Amino acid sequence: MAAVSELSVLLLALISNIHAEELIVLREERESLTFELPEEAGSCLISRCVGEEKLVLWNTSDLWPQNSSVPEDLKQRLVSVANTSSYMIQNLTRSDSGLYQEECWTEGNVTHERNITLTVCGSTGEISRVDVIPEETIDLPCPGAADHLDVQWLKQDYQSEQETWTRVFGDDTASVMDDDRRRYQVVENTSALRISNFSPTVINVFTCLVMKQQQCVSSHLSQFLQNPEMIIRSVGETAVLQCPVTDLSEEEPPHWQFETFNGDQGQLNFTGSFGDQSYSLVLTSVTLNNSGGYICHTSIPVKVYSLFVCPKSPPPAVELFSEGEEVTLRCKDWEKGHLYFWVFKSNRTKGRTFSLYSDQVRSNVRSDTDGSMVISDLSLQDTGEYWCAVIDKDRHCMSSTKTLLEHRDPFGVYSTFYAVRCSALSVLLLMLCVAVVTVTLRTRTRDT
């Protein structure tokens, strides 16, 4: 009777617990869930809430309650981890999803309490990798969210050592939330998560849970990918690598890490301006040895560059176009057996350089078999600088080609109107010169 009375008191305390630490844990079917209890605790309870009913899964002060209401299937999968105070549920199923609670006492005082919300999903989709673009709006996809199924969005800190999650929205009814200096919003029809004012200094991993009748059908992870920004420079030029850190209130000062394409690493001292919060790395008069990867770090990688220093190249060619036309840009010195890539710096993107293929920023671009690039249905947004770098197998730049793609102004320097006007002015000037010479000769003849 004493044991039953003690158990009733402990359960009552557990039910009234509203300040316990809460963890959200995701698992796939057939994985396991481990409860790690403090070793110094006198006695602990692990229980599960099923509706209004509470099932005691484990009572450390008793080997196993003979009258336990725990289903037999679950009893067979509950094991204690040898030589530790940890307990585990093996071979999880979707029906194991729910709220689990831990509470421990030492000399009658509660010394540990924690709530664990477990979601077991039937399957995990492919990881969606999203390029980090500072201060822009991005949409994280949620495949499988059709058929009017419920969707829950969770996030996890990039540096989190625990495999725990938090809700993007405080409750299931919210669809807009401002947090971490950014805004989250669920897109209608697709259930994608739209993140506005994205800051690379606060990076999370996100997952969407596709739910049906409160059970997780599938989960889909979205992970931010630090795709390196490609930078091409010729020997002797200056390379300025920006580190977009805007708020260091909770972050360590930025530092730069350099890694050659062969894998050798090194630290780079910061050179830049602190007053305008620009932590740029300025490389003056670059050499071929400056080629490699550059990473601006705080507590996380904030910005990643791949710098290719090429031998000196000839002056850039100028290619003119009218809207709707097609243009072919040549990659000089390219031959089979060598790699090549194109990068593009738009006049409208604040100087940011894009890889034309990996970033998929252009739908009207295709490569040709001779290393050239064809841009169709040209518009004003296609104006800018285009580089092609030819790379050998050791990732050394052998040569580079630069082309300036400019819109043909109907009345500009390169227009037909301008050419006709120049021709007409040239003819008039020639006629004027002839007239002056004729008048001069006649005057001299008359004077003689």
Side-chain angles (χ1 to χ4, degrees), residues 6-266:
E6 179 184 358
L7 182 60
S8 300
V9 173
L10 295 181
L11 284 177
L12 180 61
L14 189 59
I15 294 173
S16 62
N17 169 34
I18 59 174
H19 301 292
E21 177 188 7
E22 181 179 7
L23 301 179
I24 299 177
V25 178
L26 302 181
R27 292 288 188 271
E28 290 185 59
E29 288 186 301
R30 295 179 296 279
E31 291 185 340
S32 61
L33 174 65
T34 301
F35 302 90
E36 297 180 355
L37 304 177
E39 296 183 0
E40 65 277 4
S43 61
C44 298
L45 282 182
I46 301 173
S47 62
R48 179 187 176 188
C49 297
V50 181
E52 298 181 357
E53 184 181 3
K54 189 175 297 292
L55 305 179
V56 178
L57 305 184
W58 206 281
N59 180 6
T60 60
S61 62
D62 194 354
L63 292 179
W64 188 264
Q66 297 298 321
N67 59 347
S68 171
S69 58
V70 177
E72 196 65 31
D73 172 63
L74 186 54
K75 284 184 182 180
Q76 296 174 0
R77 295 183 289 122
L78 274 170
V79 297
S80 60
V81 182
N83 302 322
T84 68
S85 57
S86 299
Y87 303 86
M88 180 187 300
I89 302 178
Q90 299 176 323
N91 297 321
L92 291 170
T93 66
R94 279 188 284 177
S95 60
D96 291 321
S97 301
L99 176 63
Y100 294 79
Q101 297 179 320
E102 303 171 349
E103 192 161 10
C104 298
W105 293 263
T106 301
E107 297 180 354
N109 296 319
V110 176
T111 55
H112 171 79
E113 50 185 349
R114 184 168 64 173
N115 296 334
I116 300 176
T117 300
L118 170 66
T119 300
V120 182
C121 290
S123 65
T124 301
E126 295 183 358
I127 298 177
S128 299
R129 303 191 183 278
V130 183
D131 185 22
V132 175
I133 304 177
E135 308 304 327
E136 291 196 9
T137 297
I138 57 178
D139 284 356
L140 305 185
C142 186
D147 301 326
H148 306 288
L149 298 178
D150 293 331
V151 171
Q152 296 180 14
W153 277 99
L154 304 177
K155 64 178 179 177
Q156 184 183 74
D157 185 22
Y158 181 85
Q159 297 176 279
S160 176
E161 296 180 356
Q162 295 180 322
E163 296 182 6
T164 57
W165 300 79
T166 57
R167 297 179 180 88
V168 172
F169 306 101
D171 54 67
D172 295 337
T173 61
S175 59
V176 178
M177 176 66 68
D178 294 308
D179 189 19
D180 298 333
R181 301 184 297 277
R182 59 177 83 153
R183 165 166 285 200
Y184 302 102
Q185 184 175 5
V186 175
V187 180
E188 294 184 6
N189 301 326
T190 65
S191 296
L193 181 65
R194 178 164 295 166
I195 306 177
S196 305
N197 300 322
F198 185 87
S199 171
T201 58
V202 182
I203 296 183
N204 307 100
V205 178
F206 293 84
T207 188
C208 74
L209 306 182
V210 180
M211 310 293 292
K212 184 176 183 180
Q213 296 178 354
Q214 299 184 345
Q215 285 199 347
C216 181
V217 177
S218 60
S219 64
H220 303 272
L221 190 70
S222 292
Q223 191 170 16
F224 293 107
L225 181 64
Q226 287 280 10
N227 277 336
E229 181 175 336
M230 302 290 187
I231 303 293
I232 302 176
R233 290 292 182 270
S234 296
V235 170
E237 293 182 343
T238 297
V240 180
L241 311 183
Q242 301 287 345
C243 183
V245 176
T246 58
D247 185 3
L248 290 179
S249 59
E250 299 179 359
E251 301 289 344
E252 61 184 61
H255 63 275
W256 283 90
Q257 177 182 340
F258 170 69
E259 180 175 332
T260 68
F261 290 132
N262 294 327
D264 299 330
Q265 294 187 358

Side-chain angles (χ1 to χ4, degrees), residues 408-422:
R408 182 184 289 107
D409 189 338
F411 302 100
V413 175
Y414 302 102
S415 64
T416 303
F417 172 80
Y418 185 85
V420 171
R421 184 180 64 176
C422 288

Side-chain angles (χ1 to χ4, degrees), residues 3 101 277 306 393 410:
Q101 297 179 320
Q277 294 183 331
S306 286
K393 62 180 181 180

